[in-house]
Amino acid sequence: MKHKLDLLVTLACVGLLGSALAADTTTAPKESVFPTKPLGITLSVKMDGPYMEAADLQLICLFKHKASGDTYQGAAKDTDAHLHGLLSALRNRNEFVGELGETILFTPPRDSIPAKQFMVIGLGEEKDVSLDTLRIVGRIAAREAVRLKAKHVAWAPVIRDEGNTAIDVGEGDRAFAEAMLAAYDTEKRLQAQGLAPKFSIESFVIQAGPSFFDGAVKQVGQGIDSVTAELQKRDATPYASNSK
């Protein structure tokens, strides 16, 4: 009887340990959600990669293609691998060059990543990258998300993963977020005036690696406060004049 009891206790402990290990492997990535919900968007910084998020639209940025070969490391390399080499194929064939503001949209291959649609936005020449570059990307991201009616959006800059350290990650994320929210505010104003179809982005995830997570949270939070104050000063006069 005692042996049976000991066996049951052992099995129970093993079961609990197995459950704990299983739970640990499925732990959700670290995420910081901004409580202010700017313009009604659940905006967050999340410690995951562009091949992990079940978004309606996943966005990344890539520099202009180099004939000598593009740099792919970290999340950029992993994303290309998860997409079965699709990114590198498009670039090596010069079918997506990556000029500043250039975009390409595709449906991820079957059984590759959870995102429904994937868009790459060009950063232009690597030597010319600046915070203004990220502001352009932010505006494109907002307008494309609205055009594509993507309720759940994720963006990973992957600039560091292309071997570039010219821009502080947090500052770049802030520049992107400010421009994205400003462009989305314009979209919502157009909608309110009957000049565009009604649509709302529900969530927007800015993806950051472990080394840059805290800095991104701090900078994006400050950016939200700053752009919110600026948007309140915008001219509320209708865009289209009623005069004939």
Side-chain angles (χ1 to χ4, degrees):
M1 184 68 180
K2 183 177 183 301
H3 291 304
K4 288 185 178 180
L5 182 60
D6 289 342
L7 179 60
L8 288 172
V9 171
T10 301
L11 289 173
C13 290
V14 171
L16 289 172
L17 177 59
S19 298
L21 290 173
D24 184 64
T25 58
T26 57
T27 299
K30 185 176 181 181
E31 183 174 19
S32 180
V33 180
F34 298 98
T36 50
K37 292 192 70 171
L39 302 175
I41 298 174
T42 299
L43 183 60
S44 67
V45 174
K46 192 171 184 179
M47 197 185 294
D48 70 358
Y51 51 87
M52 298 170 65
E53 195 69 25
D56 294 327
L57 177 64
Q58 172 69 58
L59 302 148
I60 68 167
C61 307
L62 292 176
F63 288 113
K64 185 176 180 180
H65 174 62
K66 301 181 185 69
S68 58
D70 300 307
T71 300
Y72 290 106
Q73 56 193 29
K77 182 179 179 181
D78 292 342
T79 302
D80 190 42
H82 278 82
L83 290 170
H84 307 167
L86 195 158
L87 294 176
S88 52
L90 285 168
R91 287 161 70 68
N92 291 336
R93 299 175 191 182
N94 286 316
E95 293 175 31
F96 176 76
V97 178
E99 297 282 5
L100 179 58
E102 180 184 0
T103 62
I104 190 165
L105 175 72
F106 56 81
T107 300
R110 186 176 180 180
D111 299 325
S112 59
I113 65 173
K116 294 177 181 177
Q117 296 185 94
F118 198 102
M119 177 174 284
V120 186
I121 303 175
L123 292 169
E125 295 281 359
E126 184 174 351
K127 65 180 178 62
D128 298 328
V129 69
S130 67
L131 293 179
D132 281 337
T133 305
L134 274 301
R135 293 184 180 105
I136 292 171
V137 171
R139 290 193 286 271
I140 293 171
R143 290 166 183 157
E144 287 296 305
V146 171
R147 182 179 70 85
L148 295 168
K149 297 190 178 339
K151 293 182 178 181
H152 306 289
V153 187
W155 172 71
V158 300
I159 291 175
R160 279 289 195 276
D161 299 307
E162 294 175 78
N164 187 284
T165 59
I167 296 175
D168 176 80
V169 173
E171 291 179 1
D173 289 346
R174 173 177 177 166
F176 170 90
E178 289 176 340
M180 181 273 290
L181 289 171
Y184 183 63
D185 179 74
T186 300
E187 295 291 332
K188 297 305 291 182
R189 289 170 186 257
L190 287 168
Q191 293 175 23
Q193 295 175 33
L195 301 173
K198 296 283 187 181
F199 177 76
S200 296
I201 298 172
E202 294 181 7
S203 66
F204 204 114
V205 174
I206 295 176
Q207 296 160 310
S211 300
F212 310 109
F213 182 84
D214 291 339
V217 171
K218 178 182 178 181
Q219 290 282 353
V220 173
Q222 292 175 351
I224 290 172
D225 292 341
S226 176
V227 73
T228 299
E230 288 301 315
L231 294 179
Q232 290 174 352
K233 301 175 186 177
R234 279 189 162 182
D235 188 347
T237 305
Y239 294 116
S241 172
N242 291 325
S243 60
K244 295 181 179 179

